[in-house]
Amino acid sequence: MIDEQTDKPRSSFWKELPILLGVAILVAVLVRAFVLQTFFIPSPSMENTLQIDDRVLVNKLVYDFRSPRRGEVIVFKAPLEWSSNPDGEDFIKRVVGVGGDHVVCCDAQERLVINGRSLDEPYVYPGNKPADQEFDITVPKGRLWVMGDHREASGDSLEHWQQSGQDITAATIPEDEVVGRAFTVFWPVGRATWLSVPEQYEGIPRP
């Protein structure tokens, strides 16, 4: 009788195991599709904040409830004009200006100026200027001006503003093309860190 009783739970476990695995796979798929996703960094455009082959975790749900904010690192679907891949490509950049912002390069200390307030950018790659030429733009509503932290190695809003003959629409990305916010580097373990908004953005006034 003891053997028969102990066999029942074992038999039940093996019958339920495929169901449990199926549920686990379904949950993982739903999380990846709607909540969290991992991305690897293929280029130097965000150095030294992000290095080539870093892995970041992206919150895909946050912008369903609010718009991207200045200073956040975002993943977005690149416009066709930005990418050499006809099937589309995900880019990762920092939000510098949001809809309505007046962004100017540069003040007397070679800093970007947003809505009249100069912005210190300690994350910019050592030796890089905030921009390689002067510009004066206003970000259209519902769009974002994005730049890489490694300014001299980044195909970003400034590059496409230059290449398009200063077309602000071509230089910015629509908010609805944003995949999510990159909020942490999780691999390699030795580089694990939070991707928080730099405190320098706190003093930027509304447009």
Side-chain angles (χ1 to χ4, degrees):
M1 292 294 293
I2 294 175
D3 289 340
E4 289 177 3
Q5 289 175 349
T6 55
D7 282 347
K8 275 187 176 181
R10 291 176 185 173
S11 175
S12 176
F13 170 77
W14 289 112
K15 287 179 179 178
E16 293 175 0
L17 182 59
I19 298 174
L20 295 174
L21 290 174
V23 170
I25 292 170
L26 178 60
V27 169
V29 169
L30 291 174
V31 167
R32 185 181 187 279
F34 300 107
V35 183
L36 298 174
Q37 188 171 349
T38 62
F39 287 84
F40 85 98
I41 307 305
S43 78
S45 72
M46 282 294 291
E47 291 176 339
N48 283 321
T49 303
L50 300 173
Q51 304 283 355
I52 294 175
D53 292 334
D54 279 355
R55 266 61 173 178
V56 300
L57 196 59
V58 173
N59 182 335
K60 301 177 70 174
L61 195 60
V62 60
Y63 298 136
D64 288 341
F65 301 97
R66 66 169 176 84
S67 296
R69 296 171 181 166
R70 301 182 205 95
E72 293 180 336
V73 177
I74 62 169
V75 172
F76 59 93
K77 297 292 183 184
L80 292 178
E81 296 81 8
W82 287 37
S83 173
S84 57
N85 186 344
D87 296 326
E89 191 173 359
D90 291 328
F91 278 22
I92 186 165
K93 306 291 179 190
R94 188 181 299 277
V95 178
V96 173
V98 298
D101 280 348
H102 180 210
V103 187
V104 178
C105 175
C106 286
D107 68 7
Q109 284 75 48
E110 294 190 335
R111 297 173 296 182
L112 296 182
V113 180
I114 304 176
N115 301 332
R117 181 69 64 88
S118 296
L119 176 68
D120 290 307
E121 296 183 280
Y123 47 79
V124 169
Y125 189 81
N128 281 193
K129 294 180 179 180
D132 61 7
Q133 73 168 59
E134 294 182 354
F135 65 91
D136 185 333
I137 62 96
T138 298
V139 184
K141 294 292 185 183
R143 302 186 74 87
L144 305 169
W145 179 274
V146 297
M147 301 181 78
D149 290 355
H150 192 167
R151 298 286 158 83
E152 295 179 4
S154 178
D156 54 21
S157 287
L158 180 56
E159 179 182 80
H160 292 282
W161 184 79
Q162 296 165 337
Q163 291 181 351
S164 65
Q166 304 183 4
D167 181 343
I168 190 60
T169 301
T172 52
I173 62 166
E175 288 186 11
D176 58 11
E177 289 300 318
V178 177
V179 174
R181 178 185 176 186
F183 66 94
T184 186
V185 178
F186 71 91
W187 189 265
V189 174
R191 283 187 41 76
T193 186
W194 297 108
L195 297 172
S196 56
V197 174
E199 62 181 10
Q200 288 79 6
Y201 282 89
E202 293 177 4
I204 302 297
R206 293 182 177 181

PDB file of all heavy atoms in Angstrom, residues 75-93:
ATOM      1  N   VAL A  75      15.223  52.550 -26.824  1.00  0.00           N
ATOM      2  CA  VAL A  75      15.349  51.736 -28.036  1.00  0.00           C
ATOM      3  C   VAL A  75      14.168  52.095 -28.933  1.00  0.00           C
ATOM      4  O   VAL A  75      13.035  52.203 -28.454  1.00  0.00           O
ATOM      5  CB  VAL A  75      15.336  50.235 -27.697  1.00  0.00           C
ATOM      6  CG1 VAL A  75      15.256  49.393 -28.975  1.00  0.00           C
ATOM      7  CG2 VAL A  75      16.568  49.858 -26.890  1.00  0.00           C
ATOM      8  N   PHE A  76      14.444  52.304 -30.222  1.00  0.00           N
ATOM      9  CA  PHE A  76      13.371  52.691 -31.138  1.00  0.00           C
ATOM     10  C   PHE A  76      13.590  52.068 -32.505  1.00  0.00           C
ATOM     11  O   PHE A  76      14.705  51.669 -32.863  1.00  0.00           O
ATOM     12  CB  PHE A  76      13.291  54.220 -31.272  1.00  0.00           C
ATOM     13  CG  PHE A  76      14.541  54.877 -31.784  1.00  0.00           C
ATOM     14  CD1 PHE A  76      14.729  55.128 -33.137  1.00  0.00           C
ATOM     15  CD2 PHE A  76      15.546  55.257 -30.895  1.00  0.00           C
ATOM     16  CE1 PHE A  76      15.887  55.734 -33.611  1.00  0.00           C
ATOM     17  CE2 PHE A  76      16.710  55.869 -31.359  1.00  0.00           C
ATOM     18  CZ  PHE A  76      16.875  56.107 -32.718  1.00  0.00           C
ATOM     19  N   LYS A  77      12.500  51.962 -33.250  1.00  0.00           N
ATOM     20  CA  LYS A  77      12.564  51.494 -34.626  1.00  0.00           C
ATOM     21  C   LYS A  77      13.102  52.628 -35.490  1.00  0.00           C
ATOM     22  O   LYS A  77      12.467  53.683 -35.601  1.00  0.00           O
ATOM     23  CB  LYS A  77      11.180  51.069 -35.124  1.00  0.00           C
ATOM     24  CG  LYS A  77      10.580  49.899 -34.363  1.00  0.00           C
ATOM     25  CD  LYS A  77      11.331  48.607 -34.616  1.00  0.00           C
ATOM     26  CE  LYS A  77      10.664  47.427 -33.909  1.00  0.00           C
ATOM     27  NZ  LYS A  77      11.445  46.177 -34.063  1.00  0.00           N
ATOM     28  N   ALA A  78      14.246  52.422 -36.087  1.00  0.00           N
ATOM     29  CA  ALA A  78      14.876  53.493 -36.860  1.00  0.00           C
ATOM     30  C   ALA A  78      14.100  53.771 -38.132  1.00  0.00           C
ATOM     31  O   ALA A  78      13.616  52.846 -38.800  1.00  0.00           O
ATOM     32  CB  ALA A  78      16.307  53.099 -37.210  1.00  0.00           C
ATOM     33  N   PRO A  79      13.929  55.054 -38.487  1.00  0.00           N
ATOM     34  CA  PRO A  79      13.339  55.383 -39.790  1.00  0.00           C
ATOM     35  C   PRO A  79      14.161  54.751 -40.910  1.00  0.00           C
ATOM     36  O   PRO A  79      15.372  54.519 -40.758  1.00  0.00           O
ATOM     37  CB  PRO A  79      13.437  56.915 -39.836  1.00  0.00           C
ATOM     38  CG  PRO A  79      13.543  57.340 -38.403  1.00  0.00           C
ATOM     39  CD  PRO A  79      14.293  56.250 -37.705  1.00  0.00           C
ATOM     40  N   LEU A  80      13.519  54.457 -42.019  1.00  0.00           N
ATOM     41  CA  LEU A  80      14.221  53.813 -43.130  1.00  0.00           C
ATOM     42  C   LEU A  80      15.423  54.632 -43.578  1.00  0.00           C
ATOM     43  O   LEU A  80      16.446  54.091 -43.990  1.00  0.00           O
ATOM     44  CB  LEU A  80      13.265  53.601 -44.307  1.00  0.00           C
ATOM     45  CG  LEU A  80      12.142  52.582 -44.088  1.00  0.00           C
ATOM     46  CD1 LEU A  80      11.244  52.501 -45.324  1.00  0.00           C
ATOM     47  CD2 LEU A  80      12.719  51.204 -43.758  1.00  0.00           C
ATOM     48  N   GLU A  81      15.309  55.965 -43.482  1.00  0.00           N
ATOM     49  CA  GLU A  81      16.406  56.837 -43.904  1.00  0.00           C
ATOM     50  C   GLU A  81      17.611  56.730 -42.969  1.00  0.00           C
ATOM     51  O   GLU A  81      18.723  57.110 -43.330  1.00  0.00           O
ATOM     52  CB  GLU A  81      15.940  58.299 -43.946  1.00  0.00           C
ATOM     53  CG  GLU A  81      14.850  58.592 -44.962  1.00  0.00           C
ATOM     54  CD  GLU A  81      13.476  58.202 -44.452  1.00  0.00           C
ATOM     55  OE1 GLU A  81      13.348  57.839 -43.255  1.00  0.00           O
ATOM     56  OE2 GLU A  81      12.513  58.252 -45.257  1.00  0.00           O
ATOM     57  N   TRP A  82      17.400  56.205 -41.790  1.00  0.00           N
ATOM     58  CA  TRP A  82      18.477  56.093 -40.806  1.00  0.00           C
ATOM     59  C   TRP A  82      19.204  54.763 -40.901  1.00  0.00           C
ATOM     60  O   TRP A  82      20.284  54.613 -40.341  1.00  0.00           O
ATOM     61  CB  TRP A  82      17.918  56.223 -39.392  1.00  0.00           C
ATOM     62  CG  TRP A  82      17.485  57.594 -38.991  1.00  0.00           C
ATOM     63  CD1 TRP A  82      16.877  58.541 -39.760  1.00  0.00           C
ATOM     64  CD2 TRP A  82      17.616  58.179 -37.691  1.00  0.00           C
ATOM     65  NE1 TRP A  82      16.613  59.668 -39.032  1.00  0.00           N
ATOM     66  CE2 TRP A  82      17.057  59.483 -37.754  1.00  0.00           C
ATOM     67  CE3 TRP A  82      18.146  57.735 -36.474  1.00  0.00           C
ATOM     68  CZ2 TRP A  82      17.022  60.330 -36.651  1.00  0.00           C
ATOM     69  CZ3 TRP A  82      18.105  58.566 -35.378  1.00  0.00           C
ATOM     70  CH2 TRP A  82      17.551  59.862 -35.470  1.00  0.00           C
ATOM     71  N   SER A  83      18.618  53.795 -41.553  1.00  0.00           N
ATOM     72  CA  SER A  83      19.142  52.428 -41.500  1.00  0.00           C
ATOM     73  C   SER A  83      19.449  51.902 -42.892  1.00  0.00           C
ATOM     74  O   SER A  83      18.736  52.177 -43.859  1.00  0.00           O
ATOM     75  CB  SER A  83      18.115  51.511 -40.825  1.00  0.00           C
ATOM     76  OG  SER A  83      18.507  50.169 -40.892  1.00  0.00           O
ATOM     77  N   SER A  84      20.503  51.108 -42.972  1.00  0.00           N
ATOM     78  CA  SER A  84      20.848  50.450 -44.235  1.00  0.00           C
ATOM     79  C   SER A  84      20.139  49.111 -44.382  1.00  0.00           C
ATOM     80  O   SER A  84      20.254  48.451 -45.412  1.00  0.00           O
ATOM     81  CB  SER A  84      22.372  50.227 -44.306  1.00  0.00           C
ATOM     82  OG  SER A  84      22.811  49.455 -43.194  1.00  0.00           O
ATOM     83  N   ASN A  85      19.382  48.726 -43.362  1.00  0.00           N
ATOM     84  CA  ASN A  85      18.668  47.454 -43.382  1.00  0.00           C
ATOM     85  C   ASN A  85      17.232  47.687 -43.841  1.00  0.00           C
ATOM     86  O   ASN A  85      16.441  48.319 -43.135  1.00  0.00           O
ATOM     87  CB  ASN A  85      18.684  46.832 -41.978  1.00  0.00           C
ATOM     88  CG  ASN A  85      18.078  45.444 -41.950  1.00  0.00           C
ATOM     89  OD1 ASN A  85      17.386  45.024 -42.885  1.00  0.00           O
ATOM     90  ND2 ASN A  85      18.341  44.710 -40.884  1.00  0.00           N
ATOM     91  N   PRO A  86      16.851  47.181 -45.025  1.00  0.00           N
ATOM     92  CA  PRO A  86      15.488  47.416 -45.539  1.00  0.00           C
ATOM     93  C   PRO A  86      14.400  46.769 -44.690  1.00  0.00           C
ATOM     94  O   PRO A  86      13.232  47.137 -44.782  1.00  0.00           O
ATOM     95  CB  PRO A  86      15.530  46.815 -46.945  1.00  0.00           C
ATOM     96  CG  PRO A  86      16.627  45.795 -46.894  1.00  0.00           C
ATOM     97  CD  PRO A  86      17.652  46.351 -45.948  1.00  0.00           C
ATOM     98  N   ASP A  87      14.769  45.801 -43.852  1.00  0.00           N
ATOM     99  CA  ASP A  87      13.804  45.128 -42.990  1.00  0.00           C
ATOM    100  C   ASP A  87      13.578  45.874 -41.674  1.00  0.00           C
ATOM    101  O   ASP A  87      12.786  45.440 -40.842  1.00  0.00           O
ATOM    102  CB  ASP A  87      14.264  43.701 -42.691  1.00  0.00           C
ATOM    103  CG  ASP A  87      14.327  42.848 -43.948  1.00  0.00           C
ATOM    104  OD1 ASP A  87      13.492  43.057 -44.843  1.00  0.00           O
ATOM    105  OD2 ASP A  87      15.229  41.994 -44.034  1.00  0.00           O
ATOM    106  N   GLY A  88      14.270  46.981 -41.505  1.00  0.00           N
ATOM    107  CA  GLY A  88      14.137  47.739 -40.266  1.00  0.00           C
ATOM    108  C   GLY A  88      15.211  47.370 -39.270  1.00  0.00           C
ATOM    109  O   GLY A  88      15.833  46.302 -39.349  1.00  0.00           O
ATOM    110  N   GLU A  89      15.433  48.260 -38.321  1.00  0.00           N
ATOM    111  CA  GLU A  89      16.511  48.062 -37.367  1.00  0.00           C
ATOM    112  C   GLU A  89      16.195  48.836 -36.085  1.00  0.00           C
ATOM    113  O   GLU A  89      15.597  49.903 -36.124  1.00  0.00           O
ATOM    114  CB  GLU A  89      17.819  48.573 -37.984  1.00  0.00           C
ATOM    115  CG  GLU A  89      19.076  48.210 -37.239  1.00  0.00           C
ATOM    116  CD  GLU A  89      20.334  48.608 -38.008  1.00  0.00           C
ATOM    117  OE1 GLU A  89      20.189  49.156 -39.127  1.00  0.00           O
ATOM    118  OE2 GLU A  89      21.428  48.383 -37.488  1.00  0.00           O
ATOM    119  N   ASP A  90      16.589  48.242 -34.956  1.00  0.00           N
ATOM    120  CA  ASP A  90      16.426  48.917 -33.672  1.00  0.00           C
ATOM    121  C   ASP A  90      17.678  49.719 -33.356  1.00  0.00           C
ATOM    122  O   ASP A  90      18.799  49.208 -33.465  1.00  0.00           O
ATOM    123  CB  ASP A  90      16.179  47.902 -32.553  1.00  0.00           C
ATOM    124  CG  ASP A  90      14.829  47.219 -32.678  1.00  0.00           C
ATOM    125  OD1 ASP A  90      13.881  47.864 -33.173  1.00  0.00           O
ATOM    126  OD2 ASP A  90      14.715  46.045 -32.289  1.00  0.00           O
ATOM    127  N   PHE A  91      17.495  50.979 -32.956  1.00  0.00           N
ATOM    128  CA  PHE A  91      18.589  51.838 -32.525  1.00  0.00           C
ATOM    129  C   PHE A  91      18.441  52.123 -31.036  1.00  0.00           C
ATOM    130  O   PHE A  91      17.336  52.062 -30.487  1.00  0.00           O
ATOM    131  CB  PHE A  91      18.565  53.177 -33.269  1.00  0.00           C
ATOM    132  CG  PHE A  91      19.188  53.149 -34.643  1.00  0.00           C
ATOM    133  CD1 PHE A  91      19.325  51.978 -35.375  1.00  0.00           C
ATOM    134  CD2 PHE A  91      19.643  54.325 -35.218  1.00  0.00           C
ATOM    135  CE1 PHE A  91      19.880  51.979 -36.639  1.00  0.00           C
ATOM    136  CE2 PHE A  91      20.210  54.341 -36.485  1.00  0.00           C
ATOM    137  CZ  PHE A  91      20.326  53.167 -37.202  1.00  0.00           C
ATOM    138  N   ILE A  92      19.560  52.482 -30.405  1.00  0.00           N
ATOM    139  CA  ILE A  92      19.522  52.899 -29.014  1.00  0.00           C
ATOM    140  C   ILE A  92      20.253  54.231 -28.884  1.00  0.00           C
ATOM    141  O   ILE A  92      21.397  54.365 -29.325  1.00  0.00           O
ATOM    142  CB  ILE A  92      20.116  51.813 -28.083  1.00  0.00           C
ATOM    143  CG1 ILE A  92      19.931  52.206 -26.606  1.00  0.00           C
ATOM    144  CG2 ILE A  92      21.577  51.527 -28.402  1.00  0.00           C
ATOM    145  CD1 ILE A  92      20.154  51.053 -25.645  1.00  0.00           C
ATOM    146  N   LYS A  93      19.575  55.232 -28.319  1.00  0.00           N
ATOM    147  CA  LYS A  93      20.133  56.582 -28.174  1.00  0.00           C
ATOM    148  C   LYS A  93      19.577  57.200 -26.883  1.00  0.00           C
ATOM    149  O   LYS A  93      18.700  56.660 -26.236  1.00  0.00           O
ATOM    150  CB  LYS A  93      19.744  57.479 -29.353  1.00  0.00           C
ATOM    151  CG  LYS A  93      20.083  56.940 -30.742  1.00  0.00           C
ATOM    152  CD  LYS A  93      21.559  56.905 -31.022  1.00  0.00           C
ATOM    153  CE  LYS A  93      21.843  56.324 -32.411  1.00  0.00           C
ATOM    154  NZ  LYS A  93      23.278  56.070 -32.609  1.00  0.00           N
TER     155      LYS A  93
END
